[in-house]
Amino acid sequence: MKHWFESLESREKLFVALGALIVVVALIYGFIWAPLDKNHDSMVTSVDDWQRSLAELRPLKGLAQSGNQPAGSTATAGQQAPIIVVDQTLRSRGLEQYRRRSQPTSSNGIRVEFENVAFDDLILWLGDLSEQHAMHVQAGSLSTGSQPERGRVNATLTLERAL
């Protein structure tokens, strides 16, 4: 190959050398830089998600350390019907727009269906119900949301108040 390269004219040598340089740069970009850049972007997204989650959990940490119970604690939970509790807590979390149906199952139970709700927000809402109103999930099913957005689920939950 060296003999072939040396037999070329100077203009042809320059053209071949330039082509080889372009191929080397393309290979470096395709096999080294692009995968590293893709991993970097996914890590940035992951860090942003964790920071947002931590910001949402900081107020809860203060409540746990002070020993205070939030307003509407379990002492008043038995006074309200589950449909009212669910409606109020969904509105306080901004999740009412994702609720498709609420149906009482008993005097202490309710079945709630959601569509394309953020999974993290749904879990925080369930935590509110558990801590503030003594309502727990008795049965449930989750599936991926119909929109391609990550972290969205369709959910059907049956909630019961602990007596």
Side-chain angles (χ1 to χ4, degrees):
M1 181 171 267
K2 183 179 180 183
H3 177 64
W4 169 80
F5 184 75
E6 290 176 358
S7 69
L8 297 175
E9 293 181 18
S10 63
R11 215 171 35 163
E12 292 173 334
K13 287 180 183 178
L14 179 63
F15 184 71
V16 169
L18 200 60
L21 181 66
I22 290 172
V23 167
V24 167
V25 169
L27 289 173
I28 289 173
Y29 177 81
F31 289 109
I32 297 174
W33 183 260
L36 288 176
D37 191 43
K38 181 180 177 185
N39 289 340
H40 177 263
D41 290 344
S42 68
M43 291 300 259
V44 167
T45 303
S46 178
V47 167
D48 290 343
D49 290 344
W50 279 104
Q51 287 176 338
R52 187 175 62 248
S53 295
L54 284 173
E56 291 174 356
L57 292 174
R58 280 192 185 105
L60 298 176
K61 180 182 177 189
L63 286 174
Q65 287 177 346
S66 67
N68 292 340
Q69 290 210 355
S73 66
T74 54
T76 61
Q79 299 172 359
Q80 294 179 330
I83 190 118
I84 294 171
V85 170
V86 166
D87 188 58
Q88 288 175 347
T89 56
L90 284 175
R91 289 182 194 280
S92 70
R93 281 275 176 195
L95 297 175
E96 72 277 358
Q97 64 188 353
Y98 303 107
R99 177 178 49 180
R100 291 297 159 240
R101 185 178 311 149
S102 295
Q103 179 180 3
T105 57
S106 67
S107 62
N108 286 325
I110 186 168
R111 182 176 156 198
V112 187
E113 294 180 18
F114 296 94
E115 186 176 319
N116 286 318
V117 65
F119 178 77
D120 294 344
D121 294 338
L122 182 66
I123 297 301
L124 290 172
W125 173 71
L126 290 172
D128 289 349
L129 285 178
S130 176
E131 290 178 14
Q132 298 173 9
H133 302 283
M135 292 187 78
H136 304 284
V137 176
Q138 294 302 312
S141 68
L142 298 172
S143 63
T144 56
S146 58
Q147 295 178 354
E149 190 175 345
R150 290 177 58 181
R152 298 279 178 180
V153 294
N154 296 332
T156 301
L157 304 170
T158 302
L159 306 167
E160 294 274 334
R161 179 178 293 136
L163 297 178

